[in-house]
Amino acid sequence: MKAKKRLGQNFLQDDGIINNIIKIIHPTIEDHIIEIGPGHGAIITYLQASGAELQLIELDDDLIPILTNRFLHFNNITLHHMDALKLRLADGLSYKVVGNLPYNISTPILINMLYQANAIKQMVFMLQKEVVDRICANPGEKNFGRLSVMLQHRFDCSGLLVIKPEAFIPAPKVDSQIIMLTPKTQVTKVPLPALESLVKQAFQQRRKTIRNNLKKTVTIQQLESVGINPNQRPETINVSQYEQLALTIC
Ligand code: SAM
């Protein structure tokens, strides 16, 4: 089957790497696992063998019959033919959400999951390495930005295995990396839309000062009240300061 660029299809073909990903996911019989974008099923066999309850979320019409034939006789697997951006996790369970994500929509998928973090035990995703670097960046680093603040607010984020393009068919143009996101046990209670909107404005123009970027919504006094110098650049302000600032203005 020809890979579809518009669906971000780069299929894993390296068994050694697939084994390493499975070790990171560490599926067990108690797990409820959701795989986003299973493709032809590169990792399903290994997830299924653990006895975990497994739900597959795949959008591509042409992959549905293939997945159905190969995997739907296993009684621990359910297939949902749907858009992962519309995924709603059922209340009352704690899911492991995994997947080699379609890179063109990895950010909105991550934000959708962030809003449902209460139902998540752990996430293990393959992303572009550059996106993993951004998510895991520290304040003061040039790639610290919106995604770093939003995801570090709710998750402990670890960049793991780096994977070269040759591990996929077709080979992407960039390196990939596995990221593990584990919900934090202690979370500052900030309404997510308020934090999201603040951070969006704060990073609108990275070369401007925070005072300039936020001049429509935040006063100098409010910035100073959470220990921010109004002349700081947005990427030098830490996650806790963004959380405090969002609380001050919401
Ligand atoms: N997991 C497979 C592998 O590693 O070989 C395939 C990974 S491929 C990078 C991304 C997968 O996500 C494809 O199967 C693609 O059809 C699927 N996909 C793309 N957009 C999607 C969406 N909005 N919702 C669900 N699946 C999607």
Side-chain angles (χ1 to χ4, degrees):
M1 210 184 94
K2 201 168 178 303
K4 294 172 185 155
K5 207 172 169 188
R6 76 186 159 80
L7 290 176
Q9 292 181 344
N10 299 97
F11 299 107
L12 264 171
Q13 54 143 0
D14 183 318
D15 283 339
I17 286 171
I18 292 171
N19 272 317
N20 284 330
I21 294 171
I22 295 296
K23 279 189 201 139
I24 292 169
I25 297 173
H26 188 58
T28 73
I29 195 160
E30 281 87 33
D31 284 335
H32 300 277
I33 302 181
I34 294 188
E35 187 188 357
I36 296 178
H40 296 274
I43 65 171
I44 295 173
T45 309
Y46 302 86
L47 296 175
Q48 188 283 326
S50 70
E53 189 248 345
L54 182 57
Q55 299 191 49
L56 311 173
I57 312 294
E58 178 56 63
L59 185 62
D60 186 350
D61 302 344
D62 295 328
L63 286 172
I64 298 301
I66 296 172
L67 290 166
T68 303
N69 286 339
R70 287 189 65 192
F71 299 107
L72 280 207
H73 55 278
F74 292 113
N75 58 13
N76 55 339
I77 300 188
T78 320
L79 174 61
H80 305 274
H81 183 193
M82 66 176 284
D83 183 348
L85 294 173
K86 300 198 172 123
L87 178 62
R88 296 291 166 264
L89 302 179
D91 287 340
L93 288 177
S94 190
Y95 291 96
K96 280 187 181 171
V97 186
V98 306
N100 171 13
L101 294 188
Y103 293 168
N104 47 342
I105 54 164
S106 59
T107 298
I109 289 176
L110 287 163
I111 298 296
N112 181 25
M113 291 297 101
L114 168 64
Y115 272 85
Q116 303 180 70
N118 285 342
I120 292 171
K121 182 177 178 184
Q122 191 170 69
M123 302 199 286
V124 176
F125 291 133
M126 171 104 69
L127 302 173
Q128 283 173 265
K129 180 177 182 304
E130 178 256 323
V131 176
V132 172
D133 288 344
R134 281 200 275 133
I135 294 171
C136 300
N138 295 309
E141 294 175 353
K142 72 175 187 318
N143 50 4
F144 184 79
R146 281 167 68 178
L147 209 48
S148 338
V149 177
M150 293 310 294
L151 291 172
Q152 290 179 28
H153 155 68
R154 193 64 180 79
F155 297 100
D156 290 318
C157 309
S158 325
L160 304 172
L161 208 60
V162 175
I163 299 164
K164 291 288 170 196
E166 304 78 69
F168 306 87
I169 295 179
K173 290 198 174 64
V174 292
D175 283 351
S176 302
Q177 189 170 10
I178 300 289
I179 186 168
M180 183 186 279
L181 301 128
T182 312
K184 287 188 165 162
T185 41
Q186 301 271 321
V187 184
T188 306
K189 288 202 183 328
V190 186
L192 269 180
L195 185 64
E196 201 179 4
S197 150
L198 174 78
V199 170
K200 186 174 172 198
Q201 289 173 60
F203 284 95
Q204 207 134 42
Q205 299 209 44
R206 299 178 67 98
R207 300 169 71 126
K208 285 195 173 176
T209 62
I210 192 72
R211 171 192 184 171
N212 255 315
N213 279 334
L214 294 180
K215 65 175 178 257
K216 288 194 184 129
T217 30
V218 181
T219 64
I220 290 178
Q221 289 71 24
Q222 284 171 320
L223 288 172
E224 288 174 342
S225 73
V226 298
I228 298 172
N229 176 334
N231 293 323
Q232 280 182 249
R233 305 263 176 214
E235 71 274 13
T236 65
I237 293 161
N238 65 39
V239 176
S240 159
Q241 287 172 316
Y242 278 114
E243 291 167 343
Q244 294 312 316
L245 196 56
L247 281 173
T248 310
I249 61 171
C250 70

